[in-house]
Amino acid sequence: MKSIKVGVCGVGNVGGAVLENLSNSPEIVENNGGVKIDVIQVGARKGKSAVSFDLNVTTDLLDVANNPEVEVLIELIGGCDLAKDLVETSIRNGKHIVTANKALIATHGDELFELAKEHNVQIGFEASVAGGTPVIKALREGLVANKVNWFAGILNGTTNFILSKMSDDQSSFESALKEAQDLGLAEADPTMDVDGTDAAQKASILSALAFNTPHNFELVSYGGIESVSQEDISYAADLGYSIKHIAYGSIEANEVFVSAYPTLVPNDQLLSQVGMQMNALEVNCDGLGSTVYYGPGAGPKPTASAVIADIVDISNGGWPVSKNFASKNLLSKESQQGFSRYFNLTIKNEAGAIAKVSSLFASKNISIEALIQNESKANQADHTHVPVVIISGPLTDEKAFEMTKDLHSIDEIAQSIKQFRIHNAL
Ligand code: HSE
């Protein structure tokens, strides 16, 4: 049987799971993948590993990148500075790369793929999006015959876990986040999960595959789940929706729009049923229609599964160059696509207040599809104000922000106004 020699850099939770998988059950990969994976060197900046194994740990990661015996360098240290140096050095030394680092691919993907092409090596990054669910493989290989119209995904396990816990168990945001961290789902700094950065980086990577755009993370617009409250979740449920953090990419002519925002998903759509730390990606293609990929997207073992799959693919010759550098498709920050919207306002409990709000919608020719003014959900002790939820007709992001600003100028509206997209799988 052929064998491949790898060096693993970063042996925290994910690196530890890769080493455990390879040492506990090598026969699975040998039987399924036809290759024996030999870990010949391990690097960890702090010289410590989450699991014990026979090899010494080097603290100088570039030692691994410069080791002439290493054929594939597995980059699991995260971040962009040292990781980029490590990956570039390895590529220049003729090594293939397998990485779980979405920040690195989303930010520096194009230059790294170009360098890899020059040196005739491969970069595997299946683990960077949706962990153990092979969505990169699906987009790059399984759907190669199709023009992608749009994709919509739940790509952050931590935020999906938090929203599910808030919805199903009425957990507080803080206790749900703590649980997600204890399960090893969250990033070292969970801000990246909560504020939407992690999902946006993943969406940027998917966009490059789905639409052949350059990697340009700066053009992805995104927001996090900090603003989603129990009250929003409950209103959404009453109206037949679940609130999910949705990464969305679409193309119109040659313009591609990529975003990641808390979004109301109608309960009759598959994405609304994706709970806890699970990820899912729906890809809609011309002719084919929608296909949906579902599975664990975070945590050491799922991520290790994707890392090992990439090593096996590389040992079997890797992937054809998937990027069409001649593509004219470009990312654009401003989407002209309209989405129905959820507005949550707190207004004075007095005659004519609602009339002013509805007049504003009418003056802008925006239809109100649903309106709830429910006293039992009033959160003001003095009952001088009541919460109001409005579902509007379709608005572009720009118009929705404009509408929010105009609502703020109505004296009878107090506190902050929330506005979320409603997913429309057309
Ligand atoms: N922290 C990420 C998540 C996992 O919660 O989905 C790694 O991408």
Side-chain angles (χ1 to χ4, degrees):
M1 179 176 301
K2 68 184 164 194
S3 70
I4 191 159
K5 294 189 176 73
V6 306
V8 178
C9 288
V11 276
N13 289 339
V14 174
V18 170
L19 294 173
E20 262 179 353
N21 182 311
L22 292 176
S23 60
N24 291 351
S25 44
E27 71 288 353
I28 297 181
V29 169
E30 288 169 17
N31 293 340
N32 293 342
V35 62
K36 182 170 168 354
I37 299 175
D38 280 336
V39 180
I40 61 162
Q41 196 175 12
V42 169
R45 277 170 291 187
K46 291 184 185 149
K48 280 193 222 142
S49 156
V51 295
S52 56
F53 45 85
D54 292 341
L55 296 163
N56 287 331
V57 179
T58 171
T59 51
D60 182 359
L61 302 186
L62 289 174
D63 256 8
V64 186
N66 289 318
N67 181 343
E69 295 289 306
V70 168
E71 294 170 85
V72 185
L73 182 128
I74 318 297
E75 185 279 302
L76 300 171
I77 62 171
C80 278
D81 299 335
L82 179 55
K84 182 164 182 265
D85 196 14
L86 188 63
V87 166
E88 284 176 342
T89 307
S90 304
I91 292 174
R92 290 202 174 93
N93 286 337
K95 300 182 196 321
H96 303 288
I97 304 294
V98 172
T99 180
N101 192 332
K102 61 246 151 193
L104 184 70
I105 300 293
T107 319
H108 300 291
D110 289 343
E111 44 185 311
L112 294 177
F113 288 117
E114 198 57 56
L115 187 67
K117 203 168 140 198
E118 262 172 48
H119 290 269
N120 203 21
V121 295
Q122 302 264 330
I123 302 177
F125 54 102
E126 184 66 63
S128 67
V129 184
T133 311
V135 295
I136 303 275
K137 205 170 186 57
L139 268 176
R140 182 179 46 206
E141 296 155 51
L143 298 175
V144 74
N146 302 279
K147 174 186 178 291
V148 176
N149 297 319
W150 55 263
F151 66 78
I154 293 171
L155 301 179
N156 185 271
T158 302
T159 48
N160 203 44
F161 183 87
I162 293 172
L163 292 173
S164 299
K165 282 285 193 180
M166 285 173 72
S167 165
D168 301 347
D169 305 343
Q170 281 72 51
S171 298
S172 69
F173 178 93
E174 290 73 21
S175 75
L177 172 59
K178 168 84 178 46
E179 246 188 279
Q181 285 176 298
D182 291 346
L183 288 169
L185 306 174
E187 296 302 291
D189 174 2
T191 317
M192 306 272 275
D193 296 296
V194 171
D195 74 6
T197 309
D198 178 88
Q201 287 169 338
K202 293 168 179 169
S204 170
I205 294 172
L206 294 182
S207 153
L209 287 167
F211 307 117
N212 280 311
T213 55
H215 290 83
N216 194 343
F217 181 58
E218 284 175 5
L219 290 176
V220 179
S221 54
Y222 65 95
I225 61 161
E226 311 92 325
S227 55
V228 180
S229 66
Q230 293 277 1
E231 187 192 62
D232 296 314
I233 291 172
S234 158
Y235 275 121
D238 290 350
L239 289 159
Y241 300 96
S242 302
I243 301 187
K244 299 287 177 193
H245 193 263
I246 296 287
Y248 184 76
S250 63
I251 185 162
E252 285 161 39
N254 289 115
E255 271 190 313
V256 173
F257 308 98
V258 184
S259 59
Y261 285 112
T263 304
L264 275 71
V265 182
N267 283 338
D268 62 0
Q269 292 187 19
L270 276 177
L271 290 183
S272 77
Q273 307 302 322
V274 176
M276 305 304 280
Q277 66 264 50
M278 301 309 265
N279 280 196
L281 178 71
E282 177 170 1
V283 185
N284 184 277
C285 299
D286 258 3
L288 177 66
S290 275
T291 54
V292 182
Y293 309 87
Y294 167 88
K301 287 187 178 171
T303 312
S305 161
V307 167
I308 294 169
D310 272 353
I311 304 172
V312 171
D313 271 357
I314 286 174
S315 77
N316 288 326
W319 312 277
V321 175
S322 59
K323 226 172 143 40
N324 172 10
F325 290 95
S327 162
K328 291 195 176 60
N329 297 343
L330 284 176
L331 281 163
S332 168
K333 190 100 185 169
E334 295 291 329
S335 167
Q336 291 315 307
Q337 183 165 353
F339 295 90
S340 288
R341 305 281 165 165
Y342 164 98
F343 290 92
N344 183 328
L345 332 163
T346 302
I347 68 171
K348 270 194 192 155
N349 194 3
E350 63 183 30
I354 278 282
K356 280 198 184 172
V357 173
S358 60
S359 304
L360 179 65
F361 277 81
S363 71
K364 293 180 168 285
N365 201 24
I366 301 167
S367 80
I368 292 178
E369 308 288 332
L371 188 150
I372 304 179
Q373 180 181 323
N374 188 343
E375 267 200 301
S376 67
K377 288 191 182 174
N379 55 4
Q380 304 292 312
D382 61 5
H383 297 289
T384 58
H385 289 78
V386 285
V388 169
V389 162
I390 292 173
I391 303 293
S392 78
L395 289 173
T396 61
D397 287 342
E398 192 189 354
K399 293 275 179 227
F401 294 136
E402 223 175 84
M403 187 66 192
T404 308
K405 214 167 119 217
D406 291 343
L407 284 165
H408 269 124
S409 66
I410 296 180
D411 288 342
E412 284 78 0
I413 296 185
Q415 298 180 9
S416 61
I417 297 168
K418 285 189 216 173
Q419 177 272 116
F420 299 132
R421 282 180 184 174
I422 297 183
H423 181 57
N424 183 10
L426 287 181

